[in-house]
Amino acid sequence: MGQVRSFVILASELNFSRAARRLNITQPPLSRQIRLLEQELDVKLVERTSRRVTLTAAGMTFLAEAQRLLEQSDAAITATRRAARGSAGSIKIAFVGAATYSFLPKFIGQARAAAPQIELELVQMETSEQLQAINAGDIDLGLSRPLAGTHHLESICVAHEPMMLAIPRAHPLATKRRPGLDALNGEPFISFSTPARYLHDKLTRLMADNSVTPRIVQSMTHSQAILSLVSAGIGLAIVPAGTQNACFDNVVFRPMDLQQECIAELHAIWSPNNRNALLPDICGLVSAIDS
């Protein structure tokens, strides 16, 4: 396997000196490994002149197979090490930033307690990116806002939280226990921008249904950025309640006096074609968390 790995490194560099440095060896041992590999395969893999290194047609063909072989070898090593640690395997989970305020810490804590043998690989992605990554098989599970449009994924609501008014501490509305939405008329307001489609559309409908017209001074994609502007006194905002955990000292959160509560949902999404044997267990843990 060492000869195969050396060949793949050489093929990526097309330079014996650079490849030898990456392998932490000198050039003569690298040349010897390539020569032994060619003898074993009974083909010439590399053409070498004083000016350049190129792969032969056989070398190009072998490169693709060699890369697959190394990937399989690495996967086998990883699985063996996990088995030695008592690990049942891993599952890759993507999450939107909003999940980090409340739901994700709860989930990680409960998953570690209930299934310590399962390794969680976590990556932050926007909802649209999650949709593509799940369909491509790059992630197993997504924690996202509800999906819009046509899709072929499974989805369950795992958390819901009321939307709350975020107010600079010095603003007069901060003294109100439950401000009415009409208090936003003409007020400087920081909105969710269109990339945050779910929350942008939810607030647009909320304002329209209640005939409220704030003065939008900024639009941001992430709650963290919105709250930083509220903290700076730039304007008011409406954000999911979980963002209170973001700990901005100069921001006061208040529930709104609404005829019908405005709720933000967090969903778990996955492909019905996913073959990760751990996915059902993780979906069970996700859906059991008290939101």
Side-chain angles (χ1 to χ4, degrees), residues 98-238:
T100 63
Y101 296 114
S102 178
F103 182 84
L104 190 62
K106 289 181 185 177
F107 164 66
I108 292 173
Q110 293 190 24
R112 284 179 170 174
Q117 76 282 7
I118 297 177
E119 296 188 9
L120 305 179
E121 299 180 42
L122 301 169
V123 58
Q124 185 170 351
M125 288 184 182
E126 295 302 318
T127 296
S128 59
E129 296 174 311
Q130 290 187 30
L131 183 62
Q132 295 175 8
I134 290 174
N135 285 327
D138 295 332
I139 62 173
D140 299 304
L141 182 75
L143 297 174
S144 78
R145 292 307 186 188
L147 299 177
T150 303
H151 63 85
H152 303 286
L153 301 184
E154 300 289 338
S155 174
I156 57 171
C157 179
V158 296
H160 60 275
E161 53 188 334
M163 300 293 286
M164 297 187 72
L165 187 60
I167 312 166
R169 189 172 296 276
H171 193 283
L173 281 179
T175 63
K176 305 290 186 181
R177 292 184 60 186
R178 198 176 184 92
L181 196 64
D182 57 357
L184 298 183
N185 275 317
E187 288 286 338
F189 189 79
I190 305 155
S191 180
F192 284 94
S193 57
T194 51
R197 175 61 64 183
Y198 172 72
L199 293 176
H200 173 272
D201 291 353
K202 180 174 288 290
L203 293 186
T204 299
R205 287 194 301 270
L206 179 66
M207 300 298 180
D209 291 345
N210 290 273
S211 301
V212 172
T213 309
R215 179 167 54 87
I216 296 177
V217 293
Q218 294 285 341
S219 295
M220 297 285 164
T221 301
H222 300 290
S223 297
Q224 187 86 8
I226 288 175
L227 291 177
S228 68
L229 298 184
V230 175
S231 180
I234 291 176
L236 310 172
I238 296 176

Side-chain angles (χ1 to χ4, degrees), residues 236-256:
L236 310 172
I238 296 176
V239 294
T243 59
Q244 294 175 88
N245 295 329
C247 300
F248 282 92
D249 292 338
N250 197 40
V251 179
V252 174
F253 293 86
R254 293 287 184 263
M256 295 175 289

Side-chain angles (χ1 to χ4, degrees), residues 15 26 41 83 92 95-96 130 149 160 191 216 218 268 287 290:
N15 181 285
T26 59
L41 296 174
K92 193 164 187 178
F95 59 90
V96 292
Q130 290 187 30
H160 60 275
S191 180
I216 296 177
Q218 294 285 341
S287 60
D290 182 9

Side-chain angles (χ1 to χ4, degrees), residues 57-73:
M60 293 292 292
T61 299
F62 181 67
L63 176 59
E65 298 301 325
Q67 290 170 328
R68 275 194 288 270
L69 183 62
L70 289 179
E71 289 173 359
Q72 292 170 357
S73 174

Side-chain angles (χ1 to χ4, degrees), residues 80-97:
T80 301
R81 288 173 176 168
R82 283 174 177 158
R85 296 195 303 268
S87 171
S90 67
I91 189 160
K92 193 164 187 178
I93 301 173
F95 59 90
V96 292

Side-chain angles (χ1 to χ4, degrees), residues 1-16 18-37 45-46 53 55 62-63 66 70:
M1 194 61 66
Q3 293 172 358
V4 174
R5 193 175 299 277
S6 294
F7 169 73
V8 170
I9 295 295
L10 177 62
S12 68
E13 294 290 347
L14 294 178
N15 181 285
F16 271 84
R18 290 196 299 269
R21 282 198 297 271
R22 282 182 59 183
L23 291 163
N24 292 317
I25 59 176
T26 59
Q27 289 187 52
L30 175 58
S31 297
R32 187 160 54 251
Q33 288 185 24
I34 299 301
R35 187 166 59 252
L36 290 172
L37 181 61
L45 300 172
V46 176
V53 175
L55 299 183
F62 181 67
L63 176 59
L70 289 179

